[in-house]
Each structure stands twice: as structure tokens, then as C-alpha cells.
Amino acid sequence: PFSVKSIGSYAFNECHLTSLDIPSSINAIKECTFKGCASLRYINFGNPCNIVSIGDYAFSECISLKKINFGNSNSLKTIGKFAFSECPQLKEIIIPSSVESIGLSALRGCSIVHFEIPPLVTSIEEYTFRCCTSLKTIKIHSSVASIGDNSFSGCTSLSTISIPPSVAFVGQSAFYECSSLTNVELPSSITSIGESVFSECTSLKTITIPSSVTSIEQNAFNGCTNLNEISIPSSVKSIGSKVFYKCLS
């Protein structure tokens, strides 16, 4: 009913819903509310959509869910951790520009092809896009200051990425097993290339390390079997173990 303001935790957990209409009166969806609704395919949000927050695991494991569009929304601020994780049929999600934070593993295991980080988000959390094997392009705005551990690991269709100069930190294994990645632009704001960041990026051919970098951690380029050109500046003072292990070219 339109008098309802929020939907509580686990309210419809593992129910056999096939479609869902969420009225404009709703301003919050709590944790695990629709988790495991395996038959849920479509969600229609009210116009306008007045939801402020989506809780942890809210739609996790909705294995038939295909599309999310929050429509005309300026209110959504927070998407919790694992919110849409393990939704293997989810190919399109349109997140409004009002969103300020997306929790860790929020889109893990989805089938999205293109994604734009909202301009108010300052951090890409750990495992956010882990094993999104259909992800081809990602747009990162200059508001982002850090890219968390394993945030894009296993994104096997991601072919190129531009990291804006606002990013000062890239976590370990951030692009691990991005096997289609051929080109990476590293900004001069980065001072260290972390452990296993580009490990097993088997299509990566060239990379230029900016003069701001002082250390390259262990396994950073381990298994980059097609890497045939790399420029290491004199600013680099330490190179960890197995950094270029199995770089056959």
C-alpha cells in the first residue's frame, strides 16, 4: 500500500515473487529484504523514486533479475554491501547521480556490460565488480580517490580502463585476472603499484609507470604473458618478488 514508508529486514526473503512494484512512498529497503527471490525478474520503482538507502544484501541472489532502473530519483544516497551481488542475469543497472556510496561486493557476479560510477562516489570498495565477466567498459569520475582490493578482479571482458588523477590508491589484486585488459592509464597521483594488481592480465602488452611511483609490490605483473614493453622510472626504489614472473614476452 502507498502508506508504507519502508520495507523491513528479511521481509520477503526467498519468496517466489516474479515482479515487484515499489511505490513512491517507500524511502528505505532494509537488509536482506528480497534476498534469494530466485524468480524475481522485474522491479518497477515509483515515479519519482524516493528511496534513500538500499540495505546490505537487499537483492542478493535474485538469480532471475534482469534490469534495475531507479528512474527519476534524486534521493538515493546509499547502496549497501552485497546489495545486488550474485544476480547473474542482471545486465543493466542505472544508478542515479545522487548516490554517494556503493558498498563492497555490491555488484559482484552480475552480468552488467557498461557501468558509470556516480560522480559523488569517492571510493570503489573491495570486490565491488568481482567476477562481472561481461563488464566491458567502466567510467570513473574524478571524485574517486581509491580503488579497493579485488574491486575488478575476474572482469574477463574489461579491455581498457582510464584511472583519473584523483585516484591515489589502488588496492591489491584490483585488476587480477582481467584477461582482456590491453591498455591501462596510470595517473601521476599513484605512488605504489600494489601486490598482484595486474597479475594474470594475459592480454596486457604495454604499460607506462609514472614517475610518482616509488615501489612495485610482489606479483604486480605476475602472469602477464603478453607484456612486452614496460617503462620503469628512476623514482622506483623497490621491486617486490615475482613482479614479472611468467612474463614470457
Side-chain angles (χ1 to χ4, degrees):
F2 289 96
S3 58
V4 175
K5 299 296 183 182
S6 68
I7 305 175
S9 304
Y10 295 89
F12 296 95
N13 185 273
E14 297 187 9
C15 286
H16 296 291
L17 299 169
T18 57
S19 63
L20 181 64
D21 293 310
I22 299 179
S24 295
S25 60
I26 298 292
N27 57 37
I29 297 175
K30 304 297 184 180
E31 77 248 27
C32 299
T33 301
F34 299 99
K35 182 177 184 288
C37 290
S39 299
L40 182 63
R41 300 180 66 190
Y42 302 106
I43 302 173
N44 300 311
F45 291 94
N47 189 10
C49 173
N50 292 313
I51 294 172
V52 176
S53 63
I54 295 176
D56 300 345
Y57 297 90
F59 295 95
S60 179
E61 298 176 26
C62 290
I63 60 173
S64 299
L65 189 61
K66 295 180 180 295
K67 182 179 179 179
I68 296 287
N69 187 346
F70 293 99
N72 183 21
S73 173
N74 293 310
S75 57
L76 185 60
K77 301 295 183 185
T78 304
I79 296 174
K81 64 185 180 182
F82 295 90
F84 298 99
S85 66
E86 308 304 333
C87 294
Q89 298 297 316
L90 184 59
K91 294 183 177 181
E92 183 179 355
I93 181 166
I94 300 173
I95 294 179
S97 58
S98 57
V99 168
E100 298 174 356
S101 66
I102 300 174
L104 67 88
S105 293
L107 296 163
R108 179 174 182 162
C110 292
S111 294
I112 51 175
V113 178
H114 308 288
F115 192 85
E116 179 177 350
I117 304 293
L120 297 179
V121 171
T122 58
S123 176
I124 300 175
E125 300 296 338
E126 298 175 7
Y127 297 93
T128 299
F129 299 96
R130 166 72 174 153
C131 288
C132 289
T133 56
S134 297
L135 183 65
K136 292 183 177 180
T137 62
I138 182 84
K139 182 176 181 180
I140 303 174
H141 286 275
S142 57
S143 56
V144 173
S146 64
I147 298 175
D149 297 351
N150 284 282
S151 48
F152 295 95
S153 61
C155 292
T156 54
S157 296
L158 188 65
S159 60
T160 184
I161 188 163
S162 179
I163 301 173
S166 56
V167 173
F169 173 79
V170 179
Q172 68 180 38
S173 301
F175 300 99
Y176 174 70
E177 286 187 335
C178 289
S179 55
S180 295
L181 193 63
T182 59
N183 180 52
V184 179
E185 297 178 26
L186 294 176
S188 58
S189 51
I190 290 176
T191 59
S192 176
I193 296 178
E195 180 180 341
S196 301
V197 167
F198 297 105
S199 181
E200 303 298 333
C201 290
T202 53
S203 296
L204 189 63
K205 293 183 178 180
T206 64
I207 191 163
T208 300
I209 298 174
S211 58
S212 56
V213 172
T214 59
S215 65
I216 303 174
E217 304 300 329
Q218 64 181 14
N219 296 305
F221 299 97
N222 187 334
C224 294
T225 53
N226 281 296
L227 185 65
N228 54 37
E229 184 178 342
I230 187 165
S231 175
I232 301 176
S234 59
S235 59
V236 173
K237 304 303 179 185
S238 65
I239 297 176
S241 61
K242 296 186 177 180
V243 165
F244 300 107
Y245 184 65
K246 292 190 291 185
C247 293
L248 304 179
S249 297

